[in-house]
Amino acid sequence: MEERTLLTLVFSSLVILAETIAQKHAIEIYSLHVDCKVTSRFAHTIITSKIANRASESREATFEVELPKTAFITNFSMSIDGKVYPGIIKEKASAQREYDTAISRGQSAGLVKITGRKLEQFHVSVSIAATSKVTFELMYEELLKRQLGKFKLLIKVRPKQLVKHFQIDVHIFEPQGIRFLETDSTFMTNELTEALTKVQNETKAHILFKPTVDQQKINPEVDETLLNGDFVVRYDVKRVATAGDIQIVNGYFVHYFAPQEMPAFPKNVIFVIDRSGSMAGRKIEQTRAALLKILQDLHPEDHFSFITFNSKVVEWKSSLLQATAENVASATGFMQTLSASGGTDINRALLTAVGLLDKTEKLPERSVSMIILLTDGQPTSGESNVEVIQENIQNAVNGKYALFCLGFGFDVSYKFLEKMALSNGGIARRIYENSDAALQLQGFYQEVATPTLMKIEMQYPENAVEGLTKNNFKLFFEGSELIVSGKISNELDLLPVEIKAQSHASDLTLKEEANVKEKEQVFQNRSYIFGNFIERLWAYLTIQQLLEKSISAQEEDQKALEAQALELSLQYSFVTPLTSMVVTKPTGQQQMELVNKPTEADNEKPSSFPVGDAYRLRSRSPPGRWRLESKSGSNKKLSSVVARLRDTMRAQPLANEYPQLLLQLPKQNEIICLNTDGKAQPSVHLLSDPEQGLTVMGKLGDRRNHFVQFEIIYVNPPVQIHVSTDEILLSHNNESTRLPWTESATSSIHGLRVSVEKERSITASLSDTVTVKISFVKFPDDFLGLYFLNTDHFSDKVSGVLGQFYSKAQFENNSKINQRADERLLSVSGSEHRVTRQYKKDYRLESTSDPVPCWSIHVTP
């Protein structure tokens, strides 16, 4: 029973996803409210979800939220039958000991998990009695970062079902004034646009998104939600040409500095590009595409060069060259020849880059020199000890240049790259292995392409300010913002600030004085401002900087920095990498969940499964999806479950491919991934239901093992829908209508509604019949994915390769045979098939960040 419960917890979100698509909701989210207050860049978000169990028996309710990686959770609670169960934030080791004790009693853990480039997932489940209700509330805070001239607030919207009362409120207050404000989403339609309102004046804005149930539907015939994606608010503030803006509340101040219209420094940039064997194929192609675009963005006064490396290091030129049209053209030709093979000598490549900057003559006197490293793996050639490499590079750079490290994919050691970058005045960034990797590379370059100030010092009176955050900065890039915060220790009437910096033209000194009483008056009587927000902003920023500083510190200093960060994390109730939240559940359930904040380094791909007293098991496709940890002393049943999961992971690919066909068995919480062996046939008879008057045929691609064409044939009305990766053709009464994938469109023929969502999907729905839906998947090769909704409308006469599963498929009782947990017997049309548990990409969803667990079977048409 404990094993089953643990597996249910680990995979609960995936099971609920399957239920959602089938539109069978015993657990109903009847209210979901996102309330976000942004005061002077600092965002305070509360997500409240109210869930009812409409079943006649106890069911598991899940609260699943994706929040920004940069956010700190500050509070969580759940209320069941009038009793509140709060989350308690503790020092991580203490919480872990408490958790280990619970584990020894067979209880389980829920974690915050990394789910993508910018998001983490908070996941808690609880069993609620029949007809009972539960209210979940999660609170988190983040400081919005200005990039390329905009602040961005990201809210992930994914209720997985229609919600009667759904609402997003965003209140913004910026005393400097709001220069522009825009909203965007990945799921917005014309109908949903009507549910969005925006009210704005000089300093305040209110954005309200409140769609009705009908507006949430994909179309009127289907109880499936459109709300699946990102809801984004972007804005910027007004600025004047001074020493920035100072804001003060209750003795704490924050100082924002982002000078405008400053001339850019010429750049001296060396691109150090990994061309080892692991970069072969799509990675090297995307790298080449990005570099070709970056070359075109170089300014004529910039100087540049390339170093490529595998086991050998190759310099494009013996010195940096000015970015003239001729030199850029020559570099373009060099990039076209870029190929991948061999090992990875990071150490020698970076030392060569430093040496090249050292020896190049006639560089502009006032210029910014930087090295941009792109690699996808570990050092395997030359010096392979990462600590030695870090020391070598830091000694060679010696504060003269900025080093930016880009890690391509999840085979890199992010900790290694991050420490090396932070030790040398730069930053690290992960580049995700997706179709837009070239755009990610270009986007990073745009952030650092325009340095306008260097050696910036923001000075405050020493005897009047304490707890000052970082106030010395190596570089300032156009479109970003520098932030300093602290506590005013004395009774001051005026807070003076002096900024010293170097610009391209000259040395600058800027001075400003802030009237403390006047500044504090700005934030009086603003009911939507949350508490002492500047004090919390100061704590948030201080913790972030202490953790960042500890990465590149020596061991003793690292402990002291982490101790300071821990003290502030506990004082201000932040879930950080040093703290955990303990969530206690009602008596009689698995009574504890442990919420830990992951770091980007937790995304690393383990080279093998460790053996011995301790082990750590992590899903890697997608990265950070879940993590299950155990230590010696845990009970044998937990160890057995982990070992079984480990064996499954060794045997099965983790969501590295799409199935040909995907379906959910009627009245069963099981998903089938179906592959046919009918590749040589011109068409495959997938499904026929004479009572529904519906037939579906499919055609596999010549060079790919996926479907590229479907024929949907209706008897009444007599309509044939031809769907290919090129176009959609509707035929009725000897007339044809072409619907291209390049635009959204809807067509109705005698009650049959055909809706095309641009380059995503086509839906065919008819009253009281099964809804047919086909997804258009663009990567890695164009193909089509078929699935059905409202499958309870199928009759018992449905047949075909796919159709037989809707009427004649049943799992055999596991007790009848001796089998592993990841194998079962499935009876289909009187024949027994041994099926295996696998994880596939889900073509039903726009995002493939969630693998779908399914039972895999091969059939012959």
Side-chain angles (χ1 to χ4, degrees), residues 274-339:
D274 185 346
R275 55 181 177 88
S276 61
S278 57
M279 286 285 290
R282 187 164 69 126
K283 286 183 187 176
I284 203 72
E285 292 172 4
Q286 291 175 321
T287 300
R288 186 188 303 117
L291 291 173
L292 290 174
K293 179 65 172 65
I294 288 170
L295 279 170
Q296 304 305 314
D297 291 339
L298 289 171
H299 301 148
E301 62 272 18
D302 292 339
H303 289 70
F304 74 103
S305 191
F306 289 96
I307 291 174
T308 63
F309 70 97
N310 47 23
S311 305
K312 299 178 181 179
V313 175
V314 176
E315 298 179 59
W316 171 55
K317 300 292 181 182
S318 59
S319 64
L320 280 79
L321 299 183
Q322 190 172 350
T324 63
E326 293 80 8
N327 289 334
V328 168
S330 174
T332 299
F334 175 71
M335 282 295 101
Q336 299 284 9
T337 67
L338 200 60
S339 60

Side-chain angles (χ1 to χ4, degrees), residues 649-660:
M649 289 179 66
R650 283 174 171 163
Q652 305 295 347
L654 289 180
N656 61 350
E657 60 184 17
Y658 290 95
Q660 284 182 356

